[in-house]
Amino acid sequence: MPLGDEKHQKIYEELVSIVGEQYVTDDPAAIETFWREPLAFESEERHHRVEFIVLPENTEDIQQIIRLANRLEFPYSVTASGMMLTTAAARKPYWVFIHPKRMDRIEIDEKKRIAIIEPTATIAQVQSLAMKRGFFVGVPGAGSQASCLGGNMFQGIHWTSWRTGMGRSIMGLEQVLPNGDILRTGSLALPGAGWFWGEGPGPDMRGLLRGFAGHLGTMGVVTKIAVHLNPWPGPAELSTEGVQPEKVVHLPENAFQNFYYNFPTLQQCIDAMQEMAKAEIGGAVMKFTVFDFVAWTARTRDEFWEQMYNDPFWVRLRKEGHLVLVSLWAYASEKQIAYEKKVLEQIAQEYEAEAFPPEKTEWLKRGFPINLVRDTHRHRFMRVGRTGLVGTITESLDDLLRSFPEEIAMRDTHTPPFQDFGQDAKAWPSDFGRVAWTEVDYIGEKSDEYEELVMHTILPEYFASLKKAGAITGMFPLTGNDWKSGSLLPEGSPLLRLQAEIKRALDPKNLANPTRVVNLDEYQKG
Amino acid sequence: MSDRMSTEREVRDLKGLIGDKNVFDDPEILAAYAADDSFVKPRQPRMVVKARTKEEVVKVVQYANEHKIAVTPRSSRVSFYGAGIPAQGGMIIDLTEMNRILEIDDRARLVKVEPGVTTEQVQDELARHGLMMQLPLCSHPKKSVLTSAMEREPMLIPKDEHYETMVNVEIVLSSGEIFYTGTAGYKGFKMGAAQEFFIPSTRLFVGAQGTFGIITESNLKVVHTPAMDKLLFIPFNKLEDVASPIRKIQWRMMGNECLVLDALNFATIIADDDKDIAALRDELPPWTLIFCSSAPARFPEEKIAYEEEALREIGKEYDFDVRETLAGAPGLRRKLLPILRKPWSKSTYWKYRYSGACTDLFFMAPIERIAEFTAAVDSIAADHAFPTGDIGRYFQPVYRGNAIYCHYSFNWCGGNGKDRERMKSLFLDASEKLISQGAFFSSLYGPWADMMYRRTGKYAEVLKVVKDVFDPNHIMNPGKLCF
Amino acid sequence: MTAKVGPDRFPKDSWYYDYYYDQFKTVRQCARCSFCKYIDSWEVKEPRFSKSCPTNAYNVFDAFSSQGRNDIIYAVLQGRLDLDDSPKLLDYIFMCDTCGACDASCKRVQHMEVLRAHMDFRNRLVEEGYTLPQHMPILESLRENDNTVFKEKADRGKWAEGLDVKKLAESPADVVFHAGCQLSFDEALWSIPRNAVSILKGAGMDVGIGGAEELCCGARVFDMGYRGEFTKYAESNIEEWKRVGAKKVVTACSDGYYIMKRHYPDLGGKVEVLHMVEILLQLIKEGSIKLKKEIPMDVTYHDPCHLGRRLSQAPGYYIPGTAVKGLYDEPREIIKAIPGINLIEMYRIKEYAWCCGAGGGVRDAYPEFSSWTADERIAEARAVGAEAIVTACPWCERNFKDAIERAGIPMKVYDIVDLVQEAM
């Protein structure tokens, strides 16, 4: 039985008439399942709840829901796998949460090398079909059980971004606009052309819908995308051994080989990566830290703490390491691996790299290279705490020399009580290192004390740090709840005005995930 | 009262803003900007303004906005597709002399350029740093490298890792405000290399033909010049046989340059003399897939060896030959690589070598449809009594073979009479028919804009929303695209 | 005890170093990663068969999932949600077949015993009077007739009519064969206990059965949350086995096996509990059973939850970092020993097997959901080309038989006991 006032009742009944009673709820217990996720904090500011959850079946259902929203004036937001709910959590009354859980279809077009996917198709699902045909789709740190569409609309970053780039896998999309009309982009927009190409026609709409973090549903609801598939030199199916959590996957060594190096200085590390970029080797190259290696591989908390703080190798590297993981993939032939290995070893020697010892590389086989392909270690932090990280975008490998110390310093202002994780940081270089997303991790916990520290000390510091000239560095949790309009933008930029006016024109009633990206209410107040 | 009073006043004001020597209303000068090779209706601007600095651009644009004067930017001395022809008079803002190469970062592999930097200028400069820009096929030496990126001219090297040349822009809006995409707006970022950061991002401005603002600076991707190259040629008799090998080669992430030319285009670009083209065409294979294996400085022979071996394996699977030479073209490998890597160097631009004039038609297609679309082009040409032997064809795999760029060059005699009318009729007919069959025109010049936008639903509507925000007075290249 | 890094450092809670079960901390820790809804990502081969949680797959709303239940329980424990606030609360909690797939998937990345947290919550609901109306007939059947399948107690021993086997009411026995409610009353499955007894006797064991006097093991009501009822029956059974001097209890029912193996010892049960799968494999290896007849058939094996992952999920049995143990390999070895047979694996097996849909009380409380779950499993068996589905639990077998009948397809259902008997 619907609760709430007359408007609430009306919204409920109309939603039922669109999708059927079975697929709408305003039940208080069900509502409780739509606000927590790794970045969610439980302070009063974040204690917002949606009022309705609705499960559309297809694009037309979503159109009707959005048109209804305009008629009855209620706000709505959408998620795919729900990993970043804080970017979509309710901020206003009558909030309808659109969960496209029933929209999980996948179609692979081999010749065009794309997968046409709906919002809740997972990366593992898409990969399972793609691999059979010799392709794969990259996976972000969210894990393979996360939404493929969501991951590509947000960041679009993958462990394999070294080769396959960041944020450019979308070869066309279908989206319901805030007025309920359908926008199709790329070749999909032209009847008869079908899905195959993502640009244009004319000015490329992806430039409007896809910033570093996507539009977060503020310009409507994306209902389908075509995602570019990359070549996959591996087997048609992954073959496993053992039972969780002792399960392993061995990728064939004639197609995948991993190498792990520690460099004496960050400069040498970067120089070596530049050489790898120049030599165009590597299917994946990641600047990793001790925390990454240990968190990915340890199977228990015990093992994690033991390795991080008692194992001499990791202890030493935590203090003075600059670590790189290189995964060579045999795209062209097995000989590519032999060649790239030779080049890599030469570079490693030139830059005085220390290769990890065999007992460590053997241990690391539990998770490498398979997690670069089908990441199954999501919430690497969560086993031992909870997510915290300082993240930033960099403009080149050399820029790591700027960003790493800044990020580490920011974390270290709170170390203790954060753990001593050393002076290294992680980077996802993209396009052979032209740009990178970087992270410096720290572990929190689920406790009032931790939340108090983050909410009332760290986050305010984060916003203060954003004003620092030239830096876009800040402590996570960075959430849509916290982005204050204009706070992240360069000084003097007309960007806020442009965003606000575009938003206002496309969504005059400000119903599509209001307050995110640009908070129109605040903007209009001036 | 002079019938040019308004223009005279504006010219005066603009001279006051940026100097006497930079504003022109001489009829001969205006005429030079009124037309190009395309069938876009020739129209003259009322004045031409040359800007050499960002500050001058800002002043000019602010003035134009205040007085609602249309502004058509021109960064290139050459114009082929009509984007730089003013549709509604106003001014041309000529940026060809705003041509500094601002910065080269050989480690980040970026070059920061002003709009007037030409392909010839940038390629020469980059060579001194061991770098090169991935150019489109035989690009005109006087073409703005920024214009080329804005027009989405495809690179000959279809690598994923180097895809999308234009990384970020500094753009002057009609209000005179300066807007940066990517990270460029942040003082601490040297190069601004993140393509996407906030919305809107760089991609929105590619293909925009200056309708959202004037780009005054951009970072473009460059690559290290390979230490060693080996060109290989795969001849085909039938175009239908080309699709699968292209896919297979690209799916193995191999090679640098990879493109398909028909005999006419191939002959046109490699003939030493214009008069040799016809004979050379008859000797070359009907279709040639040109593949270049390139290697950086470390163990280059080994890289080339394994790529060549892999290519020959694909050849066995798809029953094609991999050759180091082609009959009728001695010294081809030595001659061809510079042609592919540098702007055109002969006095007559390659498009005009065969018959004096050339009309181009180009679009994106799935690889498996190239034979279908080529047959359609031939059929439409025949309907217009245009000899199919005079059509040059070029196919460029893009983004590791995700799709293919199809380019048809209709070589004709030029002129303004009946021949032109026939050519125009063929061009319009072919464009319309191909679009209706699903040929995806992503760069929308002249009549293509209307042909596409009337079919593409809400796309144009959303663009108009963006346009209204960026350029409320609609002064930026009005009348182009859907604006 | 692991190396501590200082009480002044996060995490400060010892739970993050020396794991122990805590319901509140468990549900609080949930990060909505959604692993609980899918099988291990490395195992995904077909999207259709990549989900692990039948409840979530059927109902779609996330309230029907481990993550959803974590959120709900958390809200209740924190006082943000009262048990009376939601008319659907009982469905969210009880419309779950307690298969444990969520628990196995969660432990991939976390140290969290989510199934235990949910089962404890069920128990709390029952104790506080928040009972599901659909459960009442099951409880009544139990109270009135000592079974959970709505049959007359007097008919419990009919499966053994004509079978030459000791009745425990009359004689003691070393080995008690516990048939269980399903096998006792489902006539279509009587060959299983009959064959089981024959095999045990043929192996020279001193076997006795309860017959009409046999009581329910209490497994079903335990999973439903009625621990009080369970305890009564468990204690009665333990007492009875003591009385007859039993050294071993053997069953062919996985539910029964699980509860007797994992929960009876806490109540004083000291007999060794074995499943027929263990006995069969031992006898085959010893040579006491000779599999002579060919069975040329493509079969697939369904891992019953209670014979598999549930064994590692019982309270006190979770050892972080160790494999989700179960009897996965034993039945497979048995099958492969049968001449002519071809074993084809489904997409979801072993610790990530899809449930048959019979557990947790849902077969009777939510029959449509239960049927749908079984239908999905049969579709999976069909998708791999199996002519027959083999398993080791009568609840699974009944659900599969019904599903096959609904689908109108000629697939066979075998219990592993019957399959072995056929090959002997």
Side-chain angles (χ1 to χ4, degrees), chain A residues 75-237:
Chain A
Y76 58 89
S77 62
V78 65
T79 190
S81 52
M83 304 208 90
M84 295 285 283
L85 272 189
T86 42
T87 56
R91 300 303 298 274
K92 295 184 170 195
Y94 307 113
W95 196 287
V96 170
F97 204 93
I98 301 173
H99 197 192
K101 194 87 178 291
R102 299 159 71 199
M103 295 171 68
D104 61 356
R105 299 169 196 95
I106 305 166
E107 184 193 322
I108 306 275
D109 189 321
E110 284 181 53
K111 286 189 174 160
K112 293 173 191 137
R113 231 173 88 194
I114 54 175
I116 300 156
I117 59 178
E118 288 188 333
T120 51
T122 69
I123 293 163
Q125 290 171 343
V126 178
Q127 272 197 8
S128 71
L129 295 181
M131 279 180 177
K132 289 180 174 53
R133 294 157 173 86
F135 304 124
F136 98 106
V137 63
V139 59
S144 311
Q145 82 299 344
S147 159
C148 191
L149 184 152
N152 280 290
M153 281 302 293
F154 180 89
Q155 278 195 328
I157 202 172
H158 312 117
W159 297 118
T160 44
S161 282
W162 175 255
R163 280 266 187 190
T164 58
M166 210 158 58
R168 61 158 179 263
S169 298
I170 297 175
M171 309 306 290
L173 62 87
E174 174 191 271
Q175 169 169 315
V176 181
L177 292 167
N179 66 358
D181 290 339
I182 294 179
L183 171 71
R184 295 183 175 91
T185 72
S187 59
L188 184 68
L190 178 68
W195 299 89
F196 73 94
W197 195 239
E199 287 176 335
D204 189 345
M205 201 63 73
R206 290 176 304 179
L208 185 66
L209 304 174
R210 240 218 67 85
F212 189 66
H215 65 75
L216 303 178
T218 56
M219 298 205 199
V221 176
V222 179
T223 49
K224 244 179 235 168
I225 66 171
V227 66
H228 169 75
L229 298 175
N230 298 298
W232 167 246
E237 278 182 0

Side-chain angles (χ1 to χ4, degrees), chain C residues 390-403:
Chain C
V390 182
T391 186
C393 178
W395 295 96
C396 302
E397 281 138 21
R398 172 42 54 200
N399 252 29
F400 291 153
K401 280 183 182 299
D402 292 343

Side-chain angles (χ1 to χ4, degrees), chain B residues 445-462:
Chain B
Y445 302 109
W448 292 344
D450 178 65
M451 290 179 193
M452 285 290 288
Y453 284 135
R454 76 175 117 88
R455 291 170 160 93
T456 51
K458 298 294 167 184
Y459 201 93
E461 275 182 42
V462 178

Side-chain angles (χ1 to χ4, degrees), chain C residues 170-391:
Chain C
E170 295 154 11
S171 336
D174 285 346
V175 177
V176 170
F177 179 77
H178 184 92
C181 300
Q182 187 65 27
L183 284 175
S184 294
F185 293 106
D186 191 333
E187 196 170 337
L189 302 179
W190 280 353
S191 57
I192 301 165
R194 291 177 73 87
N195 284 330
V197 167
S198 299
I199 289 171
L200 292 171
K201 286 193 68 182
M205 294 187 205
D206 174 30
V207 185
I209 63 170
E213 307 310 314
E214 184 186 87
L215 301 176
C216 177
C217 65
R220 187 46 39 86
V221 295
F222 179 87
D223 279 355
M224 283 157 54
Y226 295 81
R227 289 184 186 169
E229 296 294 332
F230 157 72
T231 303
K232 275 196 309 212
Y233 280 85
E235 285 175 345
S236 297
N237 282 319
I238 291 167
E239 197 49 48
E240 172 67 2
W241 298 337
K242 213 193 279 188
R243 184 187 70 75
V244 305
K247 297 187 180 60
K248 295 183 196 212
V249 173
V250 178
T251 182
C253 175
S254 295
D255 268 29
Y257 174 73
Y258 164 78
I259 207 74
M260 294 187 280
K261 186 98 181 165
R262 289 292 184 249
H263 293 273
Y264 277 28
D266 294 337
L267 298 170
K270 292 195 191 327
V271 296
E272 185 184 2
V273 178
L274 294 162
H275 192 280
M276 277 305 294
V277 153
E278 295 172 285
I279 305 263
L280 289 173
L281 185 61
Q282 187 190 339
L283 295 176
I284 290 169
K285 282 184 169 169
E286 283 171 3
S288 309
I289 286 180
K290 299 230 187 301
L291 302 171
K292 298 184 294 262
K293 285 193 201 145
E294 273 214 3
I295 303 183
M297 206 164 40
D298 292 331
V299 308
T300 192
Y301 177 72
H302 165 80
D303 294 277
C305 306
H306 290 86
L307 200 62
R309 56 182 169 246
R310 285 292 305 266
L311 293 171
S312 294
Q313 293 165 345
Y317 283 87
Y318 171 52
I319 303 169
T322 57
V324 180
K325 291 193 180 67
L327 299 182
Y328 307 122
D329 296 328
E330 292 81 348
R332 287 171 169 85
E333 277 188 66
I334 294 168
I335 293 169
K336 286 179 190 169
I338 295 172
I341 216 160
N342 179 33
L343 175 64
I344 311 169
E345 295 284 10
M346 287 186 278
Y347 295 103
R348 297 171 289 191
I349 61 172
K350 299 188 182 178
E351 83 277 16
Y352 57 100
W354 179 260
C355 182
C356 72
V362 305
R363 190 175 144 78
D364 300 301
Y366 300 99
E368 270 183 31
F369 163 57
S370 175
S371 300
W372 175 87
T373 306
D375 291 346
E376 280 295 293
R377 193 53 159 169
I378 294 303
E380 190 176 349
R382 226 162 121 70
V384 300
E387 297 170 77
I389 184 165
V390 182
T391 186

Side-chain angles (χ1 to χ4, degrees), chain A residues 233-283:
Chain A
E237 278 182 0
L238 299 178
S239 98
T240 63
E241 247 176 62
V243 159
Q244 289 168 4
E246 295 168 1
K247 203 184 290 284
V248 288
V249 169
H250 296 298
L251 291 176
E253 293 226 329
N254 61 354
F256 304 91
Q257 283 186 25
N258 269 21
F259 300 88
Y260 312 89
Y261 292 108
N262 172 34
F263 291 86
T265 64
L266 182 60
Q267 184 68 61
Q268 282 165 285
C269 176
I270 288 168
D271 288 343
M273 289 168 77
Q274 291 282 15
E275 287 298 314
M276 292 176 210
K278 204 166 173 180
E280 297 194 352
I281 62 168

Side-chain angles (χ1 to χ4, degrees), chain B residues 86-318:
Chain B
Q88 298 175 16
M91 71 168 77
I92 293 281
I93 182 165
D94 184 325
L95 304 162
T96 56
E97 290 176 32
M98 188 174 169
N99 60 355
R100 292 177 301 162
I101 297 172
L102 296 170
E103 194 164 356
I104 294 174
D105 187 332
D106 61 337
R107 282 164 68 89
R109 285 153 288 134
L110 294 171
V111 60
K112 189 184 286 191
V113 296
E114 288 185 330
V117 172
T118 62
T119 58
E120 177 181 59
Q121 182 191 354
V122 80
Q123 206 68 317
D124 286 346
E125 185 58 33
L126 289 170
R128 286 189 260 281
H129 294 257
L131 298 166
M132 66 179 201
M133 178 145 274
Q134 296 172 94
L135 293 178
L137 181 66
C138 301
S139 92
H140 195 289
K142 302 299 176 199
K143 182 154 191 175
S144 153
V145 72
L146 193 140
T147 302
S148 179
M150 290 278 284
E151 289 182 351
R152 295 196 183 111
E153 293 196 296
M155 303 176 296
L156 304 184
I157 302 175
K159 275 177 166 162
D160 208 314
E161 309 85 300
H162 305 305
Y163 178 59
E164 286 182 318
T165 310
M166 181 170 275
V167 176
N168 81 302
V169 297
E170 172 191 81
I171 185 167
V172 176
L173 306 183
S174 62
S175 58
E177 289 165 300
I178 296 176
F179 173 66
Y180 292 90
T181 63
T183 47
Y186 292 85
K187 291 191 212 93
F189 283 89
K190 203 160 75 82
M191 297 294 280
Q195 193 162 23
E196 288 183 314
F197 203 59
F198 290 104
I199 297 166
S201 63
T202 307
R203 289 191 180 113
L204 186 65
F205 305 101
V206 177
Q209 298 175 37
T211 53
F212 292 135
I214 296 179
I215 295 175
T216 47
E217 208 176 275
S218 176
N219 278 300
L220 307 176
K221 289 181 188 174
V222 298
V223 297
H224 291 287
T225 307
M228 187 179 288
D229 301 284
K230 185 168 185 179
L231 272 168
L232 295 162
F233 307 101
I234 303 170
F236 291 94
N237 286 326
K238 292 191 301 174
L239 187 56
E240 289 80 353
D241 295 337
V242 166
S244 295
I246 289 177
R247 258 193 228 108
K248 198 72 182 196
I249 291 166
Q250 291 305 318
W251 294 353
R252 287 166 83 160
M253 308 275 265
M254 298 198 313
N256 262 19
E257 285 84 354
C258 179
L259 63 153
V260 176
L261 293 174
D262 73 346
L264 175 57
N265 268 353
F266 204 178
T268 306
I269 70 171
I270 62 173
D272 290 326
D273 214 280
D274 297 358
K275 59 179 169 37
D276 299 332
I277 292 172
L280 185 52
R281 176 194 58 195
D282 294 338
E283 286 192 274
L284 289 169
W287 308 96
T288 306
L289 192 160
I290 300 165
F291 174 88
C292 185
S293 176
S294 302
R298 298 178 192 262
F299 313 109
E301 304 86 353
E302 291 180 39
K303 174 161 186 185
I304 288 177
Y306 84 67
E307 282 201 342
E308 185 175 346
E309 186 182 83
L311 184 67
R312 290 185 189 278
E313 267 171 34
I314 299 170
K316 285 193 194 127
E317 190 184 337
Y318 286 93

